[in-house]
Amino acid sequence: MPRRIPRTTLDRLRTPRRFPKFLKAASICVLIAGLLSPLTQAAAADTSTAAAANDYCGGQCSDILPPGENGNATLAQILLNQAFGTQPDHAEDQLAPYGNLPSGYSTLTDAKINTFFNDASFGVASDQVASTTQPGGRSDVTIVRDKKTGVPHITGTTRYGTEYGAGYAAAQDRLWLMDVFRHVGRGQLTTFAGGAASNQGLEQEFWRNAPYTEADLQAQIDNATANAGARGTQALADANAYIDGINAYIDASDSGRYFPGEYVLTGHKDSVTNAGTIDHFKLTDLVALASVIGALFGSGGGGEVNNAISLLAAQSKYGVTEGTKLWESFRERNDPEAALTLHNGESFPYATKPDTAQGEALPDAGSVSQEQLVYDRTGSAATSTATSASTTAATTSLTSAKRGMSNALVVSGKYTASGHPIAVFGPQTGYFAPQLLMLQEIQGPGLSARGASFAGLSMYVELGRGQDYSWSATTSGQDIIDTYAVELCQDDYHYLYHGTCTAMDKIEQTNSWKPTTADGTAAGSYRMQVYRTKYGPVEYRATVGGKKVAYTTLRSSFMHEADSIIGFQMLNDPDYVKSPATFQSAVQHINYTFNWFYADSTHTAYYNSGDNPVRATGVDAEFPVWAQAAYEWQGWNPATNTATYTAASAHPNSVDQDYYISWNNKQAKDYTTASWGDGSVHRGNLLEDRVKKLVAAGGVTRSALVKAMADAALADLRAEDVLPDLLKVVNSSTVTDSTAAAAVSKLSAWVTAGAKRTETSSGSHTYANADAIRILDAWWPLLVKAEFQPGLGSDLYTALSNNLPIDESPSAAHGPTGSHAGSSFQYGWWSYVDKDIRAVLGESVQGGLSQKYCGSGSLSACRDALISTLKEAAGKTASDVYPGDDQCSAGDQWCADSIVQRTLGGIKHGKITWQNRPTYQQVVEYTSHR
């Protein structure tokens, strides 16, 4: 009797409960032999690339991307993985080095860096060549894969051949994932992969924000390339060549029967007859993919309706004047204690609070309802509760990638041991199998780069290195999304546009599914519909002053996700990027909201990208405004969704600052960020404190900067930056209660030990200071509620919590990032607690809250509240605090924190210990320059 195959996810991919009947003992061996052979045959060629001659890093560039480069697996490989845990070659060979850093960083030296990273030099040494391929039989491109990681090194003698090879290599490594995401971008995932609740949630989440028709996708291509001159023409040619390479691999893998096995499990191919098709890719698929990535990582802002609801709640309780003052103190638009990426005092005003707001359209209390998205449910859809991506853990994990984004540590050569700048940086894109990103090196006419790109968008390296420079990005999240209140007329589907009653456009997508081997969800269907206006898609309905309105969401990158291709093309062009100035010029062409960092052998640089609309005078970007000409973006053309954007010089930018840190924190003085929580305590402080100390001492090395990053990655932000003040309050008098005293002792010892979440020893799966960690995990939500709810009242407390979640600890399944996601401590009330507790202690607070909350400002009453909740927390068992899930048994603290590579296909991987760190990461120090 064959072994049962465990359940996995395709945003919960479900495999058969048993092997299919045709997989008898003899036939499985034949099948495995037939399906594995095309992937394991390596060419005997002894090849090295000439690219090494153009490598100015001197062997001091490294990178890592878990779990592994190979994200494709045949049916046989999937079945073997699920039955016996075996892995295809290079599917998880980068997971262990990445996962071992928490236990090995303390003794790290420069010589040991590549124990935890991979050499990111250009080219492949002749003795490290695993295979050599000339895809499609072409003579103008060669793909060399190295033995250690299987990364493709693409070298072309023509531009077309180079991009063809990039497309071929992308399909070799990520075809299934690329196919999944082109369907996600079109709102068609359930039809393609099955009707599992998480698939429904995923397609709904993205299609609501980017409800594009095929004509819209094509228009993006036409506009992006037509408006960019010769570079636009080249980008279109590159994209077509890239598509040709993808399709060549589809044809080859189909005829050779080594295509990804998920196509069989989801019913698109027959495992015996090979009947069925894998649809060729087309240019509009790339835009659909780009729309997903843009929504995940490059679209800051929004939330104006929720802001309005919490403001109204504050005004309802405290009156307009005091309620507004309270709301502003929690919003922390421009907090003077916030950690800044540009810390030299230079001001970059954007989206600042106007002296007198104009055109605000706040909803009537209790009138807001979210626009219905799904209609006409049949079959299994009729009983589904999936209405958004938050409906399942797997889907939450994916969409939360946009919340856990990235960090950077960059030090000027003035403060390094070598005199050359050093950078440790990368995007925190979440943990998936296969990974959303893929690695490649691409060398050809006008192209010379190595690094990471999103699967299906790898015609250019998006984050990585050129010949003598490296670059990376963190999500910046400045506000490029506004909410407009369109006044309805005639009925609910017409609105006033410049005084004329205008019909909304209804965009529809009907999906149906039936059970497959991968997903046994019963047959069902539904229709999604979004109403679009000139001011963007309708998101909410409400009344304002008794008038019926629709709240729409207008994003500057809406209909423009393809535009950024020009900036990425420039970053890959060795004849364009040669200096900080040319780097900054390149990233100015990227309309996603990113912080960009640069390092070469002499200089460092920073630039904040994004199409920041110039708002009408008096418009407050925090709240909805009336959809009237007076309050529109300056220069806005609704036909093209273009506007006047802030000048490049107005974006936070810098060259050769002593150091830069970024962990999605505030960019610069007066630069209002879209998200809440940029106050006195932010996870950016974990980097700021460590890098500032290194720079003060001087002589920084690569290993020292990696150690600073790794140390911050294991820190509990609450314990490092807030707990000491909480303990000051608790210890302001002798703690007589034995339970509380014991808890205080454990917490104090943990702070003294460094306030980190680390194993007792590598692989022990048991935390040092485990009791203290458990107590703080249990205490934090209790103490926040006891501190703030009495003064705010339950309604306002809840409303503010909807703007900014209370906690985001590593194990917080209920938090915005979800469990097992790695990224932690970006969103939480630690700044509020910090400011309030310091105020109660009588310490100096800049930008404090509008009143004292803990114990209504009384130190003794605050102490009583903290001790009471501390006792309650200390009494909670590990099973109470860590209740268990589909990955962990109740009470398993280490497992509750652990990072899981969430499966987006059929291959699954083991857990690794928690660390709060970029997914793809570079360590670079260039020794020379062209």
Side-chain angles (χ1 to χ4, degrees), residues 214-520:
E214 285 300 303
D216 294 330
L217 298 176
Q218 183 61 50
Q220 286 211 42
I221 296 170
D222 297 340
N223 293 334
T225 54
N227 297 327
R231 284 201 174 273
T233 302
Q234 184 64 68
L236 183 60
D238 290 346
N240 277 307
Y242 182 78
I243 290 289
D244 289 347
I246 293 172
N247 292 334
Y249 180 78
I250 289 174
D251 291 342
S253 65
D254 196 353
S255 62
R257 302 189 67 170
Y258 50 88
F259 51 82
E262 291 90 349
Y263 286 106
V264 174
L265 297 174
T266 52
H268 296 283
K269 295 289 293 181
D270 187 280
S271 60
V272 176
T273 67
N274 207 36
T277 60
I278 302 173
D279 291 339
H280 274 189
F281 275 65
K282 51 191 177 182
L283 284 176
T284 50
D285 291 330
L286 303 189
V287 184
L289 280 159
S291 71
V292 174
I293 301 307
L296 276 174
F297 301 105
S299 56
E304 289 87 359
V305 171
N306 276 338
N307 287 352
I309 290 172
S310 60
L311 174 65
L312 292 172
Q315 292 175 343
S316 175
K317 182 172 178 63
Y318 288 99
V320 172
T321 301
E322 288 303 313
T324 302
K325 183 179 178 182
L326 179 150
W327 188 91
E328 290 288 350
S329 72
F330 275 83
R331 177 60 181 91
E332 298 178 322
R333 299 197 203 200
N334 197 23
D335 192 88
E337 295 182 329
L340 303 176
T341 297
L342 300 187
H343 52 251
N344 59 5
E346 190 173 359
S347 173
F348 291 89
Y350 177 68
T352 55
K353 185 179 185 297
D355 293 333
T356 303
Q358 303 293 322
E360 282 190 349
L362 303 184
D364 297 331
S367 71
V368 176
S369 63
Q370 188 171 31
E371 178 78 344
Q372 185 176 342
L373 176 69
V374 179
Y375 295 80
D376 304 334
R377 292 180 178 271
T378 70
S380 60
T383 57
S384 173
T385 58
T387 58
S388 73
S390 61
T391 54
T392 68
T395 308
T396 299
S397 183
L398 179 61
T399 57
S400 69
K402 66 184 177 182
R403 300 185 178 93
M405 291 161 275
S406 323
N407 70 30
L409 304 81
V410 183
V411 176
S412 167
K414 182 178 179 181
Y415 303 96
T416 67
S418 67
H420 301 298
I422 298 173
V424 177
F425 46 23
Q428 202 161 359
T429 53
Y431 298 93
F432 302 99
Q435 174 56 240
L436 306 183
L437 295 168
M438 56 170 287
L439 293 174
Q440 66 175 1
E441 179 185 352
I442 184 166
Q443 302 285 351
L447 299 165
S448 183
R450 175 199 161 114
S453 307
F454 286 100
L457 299 173
S458 58
M459 69 186 73
Y460 309 128
V461 170
E462 294 169 332
L463 303 145
R465 57 160 303 197
Q467 294 179 359
D468 55 5
Y469 61 91
S470 284
W471 77 93
S472 190
T474 69
T475 295
S476 57
Q478 78 267 17
D479 195 349
I480 63 167
I481 301 174
D482 281 346
T483 296
Y484 286 92
V486 298
E487 186 175 346
L488 301 181
C489 55
Q490 185 174 318
D491 57 26
D492 289 344
Y493 310 108
H494 289 74
Y495 67 102
L496 288 177
Y497 174 69
H498 294 184
T500 300
C501 196
T502 306
M504 297 177 181
D505 296 322
K506 183 166 70 170
I507 313 298
E508 297 180 281
Q509 173 68 46
T510 299
N511 291 341
S512 62
W513 56 86
K514 59 185 178 181
T516 67
T517 303
D519 183 355

Side-chain angles (χ1 to χ4, degrees), residues 80-149:
L80 284 172
N81 174 262
Q82 296 195 20
F84 307 112
T86 57
Q87 295 286 341
D89 288 345
H90 303 304
E92 71 165 21
D93 49 9
Q94 297 187 61
L95 186 58
Y98 183 95
N100 289 339
L101 188 63
S103 61
Y105 80 93
S106 61
T107 58
L108 188 67
T109 63
D110 284 4
K112 293 181 180 179
I113 285 175
N114 284 354
T115 303
F116 306 101
F117 294 84
N118 299 310
D119 182 4
S121 298
F122 280 172
V124 183
S126 58
D127 62 351
Q128 292 301 309
V129 172
S131 66
T132 303
T133 304
Q134 291 190 301
R138 299 188 64 87
S139 61
D140 58 351
V141 61
T142 302
I143 302 173
V144 175
R145 291 186 182 267
D146 63 82
K147 291 179 180 178
K148 183 178 180 183
T149 63

